[in-house]
Amino acid sequence: LLEPDGEARREGPIDLGQRWDAEFPARGGRAVYRVALPVRSGSEPMALLFSRVGNQVHVQVNGSTVQRWGVLGEPRFDAAKSALMVVLPPALLRADRANELRVEVTIQPQRLGGLSVLRYGPHPVIEALYDEQRRWRDLPLLVFAACLAGMGVLTAVLWRRQHDALYGWFSLAAFLGVVRIVDRLWPDVPLPWPLWGIVVAVCFGCHIALICRVTLMVLGPVPLWMDRAINAVIVLASLLTMLSFGLGLPLLFTFGIGLLAPLGLTTLALILREAHRHRRQTAWVLAGAIALALAAGVYDLVAIR
């Protein structure tokens, strides 16, 4: 049962591979998913693994509540940021007929809500899958955030002592990047939606643009036209992001982050020119790093946005 805001409700079978944000752009709402689970065949506990579910969630099995994440309709909490597991005791499951899983969610626009693919099986098996997903999705983000924050503090101290603009810009870029990374691990955010979405999205865009500036500064003075282009992208991308969330127009956010791709390509071209002219090993290393980051960013832009 899908109830997007401002549209007629829909009821019927659904493919869990479909995405709410693609089906109902810029619309929040409510959804209730009912899934038939197999009959209980033994006495061991079973478990459910949600690859993604949110934004606020109420899970029931055979009419009994087994888990809540956040309060339905309260946008300060977002459960859709990591994999989630629910353990089901054997006494709750029926052995004579199918069991009914009922997942009710409330969804905010542009927040990747809804229900994705889920898994059901014996608790030890599901727990191993859950640990693996957390290990590959959450742990690297945590380590990256800690390293980036540490480098931000270190370069802030160096900038304070040496007044070198390179350290100052890197420190600012690092802390802006930490906001984006921490957001992926923080379900109980400090601001309501969409205000928090604006903060995180603006920090993300500014982080990428400033990394372009810092990378060029490592090799020498940034050309004046490039410096102005970076400033222009920061202002324009931030403005488009705020309008996107404020007016409910997701395409504006896509345009905003899309501006980062030509900025990255221009940065890569300038680095390659420096590497070719002066045969500097540092320039070749930076070019390789920028190329990998740019490839990942373009993939996200095309395949996800």
Side-chain angles (χ1 to χ4, degrees):
L1 174 64
L2 306 179
E3 296 182 336
D5 295 335
E7 292 191 18
R9 56 186 280 171
R10 304 183 187 181
E11 190 166 4
I14 189 174
D15 179 2
L16 292 181
Q18 294 177 336
R19 294 186 297 165
W20 176 281
D21 288 88
E23 194 77 12
F24 309 109
R27 296 192 183 276
R30 170 181 173 269
V32 178
Y33 304 90
R34 290 186 174 89
V35 181
L37 301 178
V39 299
R40 175 171 57 85
S41 59
S43 59
E44 63 180 337
M46 305 294 282
L48 291 159
L49 175 62
F50 299 96
S51 296
R52 181 187 293 274
V53 60
N55 301 106
Q56 300 82 42
V57 190
H58 180 201
V59 182
Q60 293 177 299
V61 172
N62 297 329
S64 299
T65 297
V66 294
Q67 187 59 266
R68 294 179 187 268
W69 289 290
V71 177
L72 292 177
E74 172 51 59
R76 291 290 287 268
F77 190 92
D78 183 10
K81 294 184 176 181
S82 61
L84 299 169
M85 185 179 69
V86 179
V87 179
L88 306 178
L92 189 63
L93 302 173
R94 298 187 291 235
D96 57 341
R97 62 186 188 278
N99 297 278
E100 184 189 64
L101 167 67
R102 184 182 186 274
V103 181
E104 181 178 1
V105 300
T106 48
I107 302 164
Q108 287 76 54
Q110 296 178 253
R111 210 175 187 185
L112 301 177
L115 175 63
S116 184
V117 176
L118 60 92
R119 295 177 183 271
Y120 174 71
H123 178 211
V125 176
I126 295 298
E127 188 172 37
L129 293 173
Y130 173 65
D131 291 340
E132 182 180 6
Q133 287 204 19
R134 287 181 60 87
R135 184 164 55 249
W136 284 103
R137 288 171 56 174
D138 296 348
L139 184 59
L141 287 175
L142 186 62
V143 172
F144 185 32
C147 292
L148 197 57
M151 288 188 289
V153 171
L154 176 61
T155 49
V157 172
L158 291 172
W159 172 75
R160 176 76 174 177
R161 293 181 177 180
Q162 301 182 18
H163 302 288
D164 188 330
L166 173 63
Y167 295 133
W169 284 120
F170 182 87
S171 180
L172 179 59
F175 288 126
L176 291 173
V178 168
V179 174
R180 165 66 176 173
I181 299 168
V182 169
D183 172 65
R184 303 310 310 152
L185 302 167
W186 191 2
D188 197 5
V189 297
L191 296 174
W193 192 266
L195 183 56
W196 180 247
I198 293 174
V199 170
V200 173
V202 169
C203 287
F204 172 68
C206 293
H207 166 75
I208 298 298
L210 291 180
I211 286 296
C212 290
R213 171 174 285 160
V214 168
T215 305
L216 293 172
M217 290 177 70
V218 169
L219 299 177
V222 181
L224 181 60
W225 63 268
M226 185 61 176
D227 196 60
R228 290 175 175 174
I230 292 171
N231 291 336
V233 167
I234 289 174
V235 172
L236 187 54
S238 298
L239 180 60
L240 288 172
T241 296
M242 289 186 282
L243 290 175
S244 172
F245 283 91
L247 301 178
L249 298 173
L251 193 59
L252 293 182
F253 181 46
T254 302
F255 287 149
I257 61 176
L259 293 173
L260 299 171
L263 186 66
L265 284 170
T266 306
T267 302
L268 178 60
L270 290 173
I271 295 173
L272 287 173
R273 186 181 67 177
E274 178 71 16
H276 179 72
R277 282 182 176 180
H278 302 288
R279 308 292 181 181
R280 295 178 61 181
Q281 185 176 2
T282 300
W284 286 114
V285 172
L286 289 173
I290 289 292
L292 288 174
L294 191 59
V298 170
Y299 172 83
D300 286 348
L301 181 63
V302 174
I304 298 177
R305 289 301 304 177

